[in-house]
Amino acid sequence: MCYFNAIDLTVTQAMQAWTIPGLLLLARAVSWFGEFWVAIISVIITAVILLFFSYRREAIFTLAVLTAPTLNYFLKLIINRPRPNSELIKVFTSLTDSGFPSGHVSYYVVFFGFLFFLALKHKSWPSFLRLILLVISIALIILISFSRIYLGAHWLSDILGGYIFGAIILSALIYFYKQ
């Protein structure tokens, strides 16, 4: 059974043909924030900081970001789509769980997307802080897709699934936050 399509393979091979010095290191660095314990600790630290500055509701909803990896895990179990393998492409990050949808991408969309939303919403926050949150959030949400494909951890279609799934969870999170 073929678990990828020609576009998946073509995009991955084209990206992995890039010979930019430091690109592998950058791809690994971008993906680092999505590693299991790093993601959990990042969410908790962010929630504690928000709580420290009396943003209780924001802290609670930041913790709710952790529903994304949980739901993503169950979706991966249901779909059970294999990840890329080293017979077809370079696999710098070898993983054994299912590939669809990309957990890193969906997590980045939800976590960094929620930080982006908060930075837009809270005009009273210092301008430099808001700008840093906006730039870093959007950069990581975009770069994670290139990182996961370049590392051979996901196909393009896994990435697109991660963006869609993440956008659904982020939309729900923001919807309930606004209620």
Side-chain angles (χ1 to χ4, degrees):
M1 182 174 121
C2 188
Y3 58 90
F4 64 95
N5 60 52
I7 296 171
D8 284 332
L9 186 59
T10 301
V11 167
T12 302
Q13 288 173 336
M15 287 180 64
Q16 289 187 338
W18 297 344
T19 56
I20 302 166
L23 188 57
L24 180 58
L25 180 64
L26 176 63
R28 286 185 170 145
V30 168
S31 284
W32 182 75
F33 292 103
E35 296 304 320
F36 183 76
W37 288 109
V38 177
I40 290 172
I41 291 168
S42 298
V43 168
I44 292 170
I45 288 172
T46 302
V48 168
I49 291 169
L50 288 166
L51 199 55
F52 179 79
F53 287 102
S54 301
Y55 289 98
R56 184 175 179 266
R57 183 172 180 76
E58 289 77 1
I60 291 167
F61 276 86
T62 297
L63 290 173
V65 163
L66 294 175
T67 60
T70 305
L71 294 173
N72 195 78
Y73 171 78
F74 288 112
L75 189 55
K76 282 184 178 220
L77 285 178
I78 293 167
I79 296 173
N80 196 27
R81 180 181 189 205
R83 290 178 180 267
N85 64 57
S86 57
E87 294 172 14
L88 299 167
I89 61 164
K90 293 178 221 158
V91 177
F92 296 105
T93 300
S94 184
L95 301 164
T96 57
D97 63 329
S98 298
F100 186 90
S102 169
H104 275 70
V105 171
S106 62
Y107 167 74
Y108 278 47
V109 168
V110 178
F111 179 60
F112 293 109
F114 191 65
L115 291 180
F116 187 92
F117 165 76
L118 292 177
L120 287 177
K121 181 186 182 311
H122 291 286
K123 307 243 186 269
S124 63
W125 291 1
S127 296
F128 76 93
L129 174 63
R130 292 177 65 231
L131 181 61
I132 288 170
L133 281 173
L134 292 169
V135 170
I136 289 174
S137 294
I138 201 69
L140 287 173
I141 290 169
I142 292 168
L143 290 174
I144 192 60
S145 57
F146 296 103
S147 169
R148 301 311 287 166
I149 293 170
Y150 186 81
L151 292 173
H154 288 288
W155 297 113
L156 174 63
S157 49
D158 299 334
I159 300 301
L160 295 175
Y163 277 121
I164 293 167
F165 184 69
I168 291 167
I169 301 297
L170 177 61
S171 297
L173 189 67
I174 291 171
Y175 173 82
F176 287 113
Y177 172 85
K178 288 180 172 183
Q179 299 306 308

